[in-house]
Structure formats: C-alpha cells, structure tokens
Amino acid sequence: HTLIDLYIAWFTLLIPLGQPLKAPPVPFYSNFEVCMSLQPLKMHCKSCALVTSSGHLLGSKQGDRIDETECVIRMNDAPTRGYGKDVGNKTSLRVIAHSSIQRILRNRNELLNMSRGAVFIFWGPSSYMRRDGKGLVYNNLQLMNQILPQLKAYMISRHKMLQFDDLFKRETGKDRKISNTWLSTGWFTMTIALELCDRINVYGMVPPDFCRDPNHLSVPYHYYEPLGPDECTMYISHERGRKGSHHRFITEKRVFENWARTFNIHFFQPDWKPEPLTVNHPEVKPVV
C-alpha cells in the first residue's frame, strides 16, 4: 500500500448516532440506524460517478452515462429533478456539509424520500455535532432519523475530521487552521470515493489551472443556480482570501490532479487528464 492508501483507510471513519465520541480500534463506517452497536457500512463499487455541482454540467447530456455507472455520488443539496439529462437521476451516496443540512431538510421530499437506498454522509465541525443538546446538526439528524427511520445516515467523527485536516497538511504543506482554510465538501467526497470505489469518473471538475486562462469558459458555480456567482470568480476569491475562513478549491484540485496520476480517477465535462510529471512542473509532487 502507498502512504495515501493508509490515509484513506484511516481518515474515513464514521460513527453512529447515539454512540459515545470514541474512536474504535479499527477503521470502519457505522450507521445512525444502529444506535447501540457499531456496524460497518458495507459499500464497495467497481465504478463510481462523482458528480460535482458545477455549471459545466449544464447542457452536457451526460445524464445517461452517469446513471449507467454502478454507484453515483453527489454533494450537498444538488438536485437531479429537472437536470436529469445533464447530471443523471440516480444517487447512491450523497456527502453533505453542515451548512447544507437545512436545505436538505427543506427539500427532503426530493433529496431524501426519493433517494431510496442511498447513503448520506454528514460532516461538520465538532461544535455542530456535539451530543449534549447543543449540536445543531446532530439534533437535526436525530429528528431526521425519527421521521425517516430507514434512512441510511452517517456522520464523520471529530477524531477523523482532524485526520482529514492532517491529510490536507501532508498533501499541500499548509496547515488548515493557520491558513484559515475550510476543507470543501469536494475534499471529503473525493477521499471517501477513493475508499469505496475501484474507479472514479468525475463529472464537472476543471483542472487546477483552468481559471488562469483569460479565455476560460464562464459558468455558474452551481448548475442549479444559473444566476448565481461565476465558478472561477468563486474559486479565485476563495484561493486568495486571507481574512476569515475560505475553501482552497484550486489547491484541492492540484491534490486531486496528483492523486489521479496514481489512482484510477478520470475527469469528464470538461475532459482532461493530468500531464506527466516533468522538470517543468516542480511544484507538483507525486503521491508517495
């Protein structure tokens, strides 16, 4: 195994609703449904479609291709209704940030009730996940579990959140807290996908230098918000931001580009693949 294999095996630990915040001796996924015992999430896919929320998917007509994939992974509250021709209709796994949970609840008929058999993984800072009645996300997830008891809902433990931070630091050389960085849902989703999938086809993710091209295509940040902010404007403003916490979208994409040189990751809409490492790209280091 490479070092990154070990990272992935260690860093995707999830803990069940109602369990004490204590990491078990071995890494595994565990379920909200089983409150008194730790049981693993038995999910493995030979091929996965990781569908981003990018405006690059608009007009792509990739829906059928996406739905033909064994497992389809989506993020946050990105809808399929009305966009099926471009993003598909199938959902096997949805990774959801703490900041999206209210939108998930508001749209539960579409995003929860219609996603039969789908797995939902929630992540957030420990203050939102605390179990003493003050954890906003945790309380909402308890309510969600009561309303939809068959829902396959999971959350990432505080211990493993810290290890995701460590992975970011090891791959980028940047301390997340010192650099005022919030890891994106894309970061969690890609890492979890590497654990679950033999092959990952990513739809709608641009290469890290895409926005540096003055003639780059302008698309909305979210395909379902056509009048929302421009994608590259969002990426650049976050990457350059120093006051307050920001996502480092471009930095993360450089890591994903690097991982794709080692793992079975492929990018579509736009279609691209990492260039081979050469002396002209000293800033990019291979995964060890």
Side-chain angles (χ1 to χ4, degrees):
H1 295 288
T2 64
L3 187 57
I4 189 66
D5 288 321
L6 296 177
Y7 291 161
I8 295 166
W10 295 339
F11 294 172
T12 52
L13 176 66
L14 305 176
I15 60 176
L17 191 64
Q19 288 291 330
L21 194 60
K22 181 180 179 181
V26 293
F28 63 97
Y29 293 88
S30 53
N31 199 325
F32 277 137
E33 293 178 300
V34 185
C35 294
M36 298 307 294
S37 63
L38 300 176
Q39 295 193 5
L41 168 62
K42 297 180 180 179
M43 184 174 184
H44 175 263
C45 309
K46 292 182 178 179
S47 63
C48 292
L50 195 166
V51 185
T52 73
S53 302
S54 170
H56 282 278
L57 291 167
L58 290 172
S60 67
K61 298 182 180 180
Q62 295 281 1
D64 289 343
R65 183 181 182 185
I66 289 169
D67 283 343
E68 288 171 358
T69 313
E70 180 183 359
C71 297
V72 180
I73 304 173
R74 304 184 190 276
M75 290 180 273
N76 293 322
D77 57 322
T80 57
R81 181 184 295 174
Y83 300 94
K85 289 184 179 180
D86 295 332
V87 306
N89 295 289
K90 178 179 175 180
T91 302
S92 310
L93 171 67
R94 189 177 287 269
V95 181
I96 303 167
H98 58 96
S99 56
S100 296
I101 191 167
Q102 292 300 326
R103 295 193 297 274
I104 291 288
L105 290 172
R106 284 198 299 268
N107 297 311
R108 60 183 178 274
N109 287 335
E110 176 184 354
L111 298 177
L112 299 179
N113 294 348
M114 290 180 62
S115 300
R116 295 180 180 177
V119 171
F120 298 84
I121 297 178
F122 294 84
W123 69 270
S126 58
S127 60
Y128 283 71
M129 300 297 190
R130 56 192 297 177
R131 303 169 182 212
D132 58 0
K134 298 179 181 179
L136 179 61
V137 171
Y138 184 81
N139 292 343
N140 278 321
L141 294 182
Q142 281 191 311
L143 176 61
M144 187 186 302
N145 190 238
Q146 292 173 4
I147 297 173
L148 300 169
Q150 300 305 313
L151 197 69
K152 298 177 181 179
Y154 301 72
M155 62 186 253
I156 301 176
S157 73
R158 178 180 181 275
H159 178 66
K160 290 303 159 184
M161 287 291 292
L162 295 175
Q163 291 183 318
F164 273 109
D165 288 353
D166 187 54
L167 176 60
F168 180 81
K169 184 175 182 178
R170 289 174 183 268
E171 291 293 318
T172 67
K174 298 180 180 181
D175 184 280
R176 185 189 69 77
K177 291 184 178 179
I178 294 175
S179 62
N180 293 324
T181 297
W182 276 107
L183 299 178
S184 74
T185 301
W187 177 264
F188 292 98
T189 304
M190 181 68 83
T191 310
I192 291 170
L194 279 169
E195 169 72 6
L196 300 179
C197 312
D198 294 336
R199 175 189 172 101
I200 305 170
N201 292 337
V202 185
Y203 292 87
M205 183 177 291
V206 299
D209 291 330
F210 177 85
C211 296
R212 295 177 61 182
D213 183 347
N215 298 316
H216 70 262
L217 181 65
S218 178
V219 300
Y221 176 57
H222 289 150
Y223 66 79
Y224 50 93
E225 295 177 337
L227 301 180
D230 172 77
E231 182 177 74
C232 278
T233 300
M234 181 72 75
Y235 287 172
I236 293 171
S237 65
H238 273 260
E239 193 71 22
R240 293 176 178 174
R242 293 296 177 264
K243 294 183 179 181
S245 294
H246 301 270
H247 293 307
R248 308 300 176 187
F249 294 112
I250 296 174
T251 296
E252 290 183 0
K253 285 173 175 53
R254 290 198 183 281
V255 175
F256 300 156
E257 178 185 47
N258 211 15
W259 287 352
R261 294 188 175 99
T262 301
F263 301 102
N264 200 0
I265 302 173
H266 307 271
F267 301 95
F268 302 97
Q269 202 62 35
D271 296 5
W272 63 278
K273 61 181 180 179
E275 294 181 5
L277 291 175
T278 69
V279 293
N280 295 325
H281 296 80
E283 75 280 3
V284 181
K285 298 179 181 180
V287 175
V288 179

